[in-house]
């Protein structure tokens, strides 16, 4: 980086690193390896402030989504049908109650595995569950079976009336992630929809670091099916976005197969796929440029208030729409107070 090492910032950092490495290191306060790590980290942040893009050592370069799936297939193959999984890092703090994310993503192309569903219901809801294809249906007698060690099922659905009885086996179902939850849609009277969603969908929950792991299919799936499932998962994550979260909401997204390496997906394509705009970047940019030109020349010709800023790729246009919304909100407040 020409001129970087002649700057005052770099001289200060270099001097501090030499001091840490030679003086403090001799006293046993810090190792030379830690001093070198400090120099690399400080230099990285200085370069970022100067607007220089730096490739972090060890971080995978982004890969186009259409190229990621063939790349995963080219890795070492196993003697079983590997599960394809995505790990999405969100800009949330799950420790906060309003940002604790969990839900159910229905995959349009299925999960590639047989899911056994147990339904805790009685009366008409039990009959509906049997017709919907539930593996086992029962009321208090099924609760007693589970309490006695019966666990031949993968997912659970219950009616609101049965939740009090399920409290007896909450310590059995809870650690396994099987406890019915109204946030996931497994506590309901609509058995057909709930069972269908569990058989063709996957449940997820954000970890402490805001990372969501979701299985989107098997290695035997065609690329088109995996892409459709990935799009469905990203749309669900966007729909569950808590209020007040700053951009970027999706910080990174990795795809991998079981017992294999991972691939970092292109963040721009992930954002486009999450908002249902497809993967044609050139066409999307051209449409936004045309809309921006038309909008700034004749703003009345377009209904800007109906455009969601988060669905726009262009940063300038997104900033313009956000400012427009803020001004509109201020006007409404002034009119209300007046």
């Amino acid at each position: 980086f020409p001129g970087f090492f002649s700057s005052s910032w770099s001289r200060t950092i270099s001097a501090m690193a030499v001091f840490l490495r030679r003086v403090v290191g001799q006293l046993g306060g810090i190792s030379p390896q830690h001093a070198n790590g400090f120099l690399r980290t400080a230099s990285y942040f200085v370069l970022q402030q100067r607007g220089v893009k730096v490739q972090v050592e060890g971080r995978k370069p982004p890969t186009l989504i259409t190229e990621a799936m063939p790349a995963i297939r080219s890795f070492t193959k196993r003697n079983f049908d590997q599960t394809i999984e995505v790990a999405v890092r969100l800009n949330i703090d799950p420790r906060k109650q309003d940002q604790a994310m969990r839900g159910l993503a229905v995959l349009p192309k299925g999960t590639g595995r047989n899911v056994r569903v147990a339904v805790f219901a009685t009366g008409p809801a039990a009959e509906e569950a049997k017709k919907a294809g539930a593996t086992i249906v029962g009321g208090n007698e099924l609760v007693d079976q589970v309490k006695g060690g019966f666990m031949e099922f993968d997912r659970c659905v219950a009616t609101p009336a049965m939740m009090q009885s399920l409290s007896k086996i909450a310590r059995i179902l809870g650690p396994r992630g099987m406890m019915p939850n109204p946030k996931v849609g497994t506590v309901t009277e609509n058995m057909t929809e709930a069972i269908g969603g569990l058989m063709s969908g996957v449940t997820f929950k954000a970890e402490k670091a805001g990372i969501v792991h979701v299985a989107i299919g098997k290695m035997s799936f065609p690329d088109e099916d995996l892409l459709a499932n990935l799009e469905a998962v990203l749309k669900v994550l966007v729909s569950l976005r808590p209020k007040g979260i700053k951009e970027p909401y999706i910080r990174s997204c990795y795809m991998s197969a079981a017992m294999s390496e991972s691939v970092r997906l292109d963040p721009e394509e992930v954002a486009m796929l999450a908002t249902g705009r497809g993967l044609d970047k050139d066409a999307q940019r051209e449409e936004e440029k045309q809309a921006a030109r038309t909008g700034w020349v004749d703003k009345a010709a377009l209904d800007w208030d109906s455009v969601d800023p988060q669905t726009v790729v262009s940063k300038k246009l997104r900033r313009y729409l956000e400012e427009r919304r803020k001004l509109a909100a201020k006007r409404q407040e002034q009119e209300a107070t007046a």
Side-chain angles (χ1 to χ4, degrees):
F1 302 98
F4 168 69
F5 290 101
S6 62
S7 65
S8 58
W9 270 99
S10 64
R11 286 199 300 270
T12 303
I13 293 170
S14 299
M16 292 175 65
V18 170
F19 173 78
L20 291 171
R21 186 165 53 241
R22 293 183 179 177
V23 181
V24 183
Q26 295 292 335
L27 300 176
I30 189 172
S31 66
Q33 291 81 4
H34 287 149
N36 291 332
F38 169 80
L39 175 62
R40 288 196 300 270
T41 305
S43 302
Y44 169 72
F45 284 113
V46 170
L47 287 172
Q48 270 196 331
Q49 291 180 355
R50 296 173 71 106
V52 179
K53 291 186 177 180
V54 183
Q55 177 65 41
V56 182
E57 183 180 356
R59 190 178 184 185
K60 298 177 182 295
T63 306
L64 298 177
I65 293 178
T66 53
E67 298 177 359
M69 298 168 189
I72 291 175
R73 298 183 193 278
S74 66
F75 296 151
T76 305
K77 296 183 179 179
R78 308 296 175 181
N79 57 356
F80 61 94
D81 194 6
Q82 296 166 269
T83 300
I84 305 296
E85 184 184 77
V86 290
V88 186
R89 186 184 179 193
L90 305 176
N91 190 19
I92 61 173
D93 185 2
R95 293 173 295 181
K96 298 180 180 179
Q97 187 175 2
D98 60 335
Q99 297 183 23
M101 180 177 295
R102 64 185 305 167
L104 172 68
V106 179
L107 306 182
K109 302 301 180 181
T111 60
R113 58 180 181 178
N114 295 324
V115 180
R116 300 170 297 175
V117 180
V119 178
F120 297 88
T122 57
E127 296 297 328
E128 183 184 355
K130 292 178 182 178
K131 293 180 181 179
T135 307
I136 183 171
V137 181
N140 293 323
E141 68 280 2
L142 182 57
V143 174
D144 295 336
Q145 291 181 26
V146 174
K147 197 172 181 181
F150 178 78
M151 292 297 298
E152 295 183 5
F153 51 86
D154 304 310
R155 295 287 184 269
C156 296
V157 181
T159 58
M162 287 295 301
M163 289 304 295
Q164 186 175 0
S165 300
L166 260 66
S167 61
K168 301 176 183 178
I169 55 175
R171 292 186 178 181
I172 300 175
L173 299 179
R176 294 176 170 84
M178 297 183 183
M179 189 67 183
N181 191 323
K183 293 183 179 180
V184 185
T186 50
V187 179
T188 178
E189 294 286 352
N190 190 349
M191 292 297 164
T192 304
E193 182 179 351
I195 295 172
L198 288 176
M199 287 185 171
S200 61
V202 288
T203 57
F204 58 85
K205 181 181 179 181
E207 299 177 356
K208 291 183 180 180
I211 301 175
V212 178
H213 294 270
V214 187
I216 60 172
K218 297 287 187 178
M219 186 71 79
S220 57
F221 280 27
D223 292 350
E224 296 77 13
D225 293 354
L226 293 174
L227 180 62
N229 288 345
L230 174 62
E231 183 176 3
V233 169
L234 293 176
K235 286 182 178 179
V236 171
L237 294 178
V238 170
S239 67
L240 296 176
R241 175 176 180 164
K243 294 182 180 179
I245 298 298
K246 297 181 180 180
E247 290 292 338
Y249 172 54
I250 299 178
R251 302 183 65 178
S252 62
C253 183
Y254 286 77
M255 181 184 292
S256 63
M259 300 176 65
S260 182
E261 302 177 32
S262 62
V263 174
R264 185 162 73 98
L265 303 182
D266 182 55
E268 189 175 352
E269 285 196 347
V270 170
M272 294 174 63
L273 202 63
T275 51
R277 292 171 290 161
L279 297 177
D280 194 349
K281 294 183 182 179
D282 296 333
Q284 181 69 21
R285 287 199 183 98
E286 191 60 35
E287 289 179 5
E288 291 179 2
K289 287 179 182 179
Q290 187 62 30
R293 295 191 199 102
T294 308
W296 280 307
V297 173
D298 183 12
K299 295 184 177 63
L302 292 176
D303 184 13
W304 288 104
D305 295 330
S306 63
V307 179
D308 185 4
Q310 307 305 328
T311 63
V312 179
V313 173
S314 172
K315 292 183 179 179
K316 291 184 178 179
L317 182 56
R318 186 190 309 159
R319 203 176 300 118
Y320 167 76
L321 294 176
E322 289 174 350
E323 292 295 331
R324 184 184 178 90
R325 286 195 171 189
K326 290 179 182 178
L327 291 174
K330 287 183 180 180
R331 290 195 200 99
Q332 290 179 358
E333 291 180 0
Q334 293 174 358
E335 292 175 359
T337 54

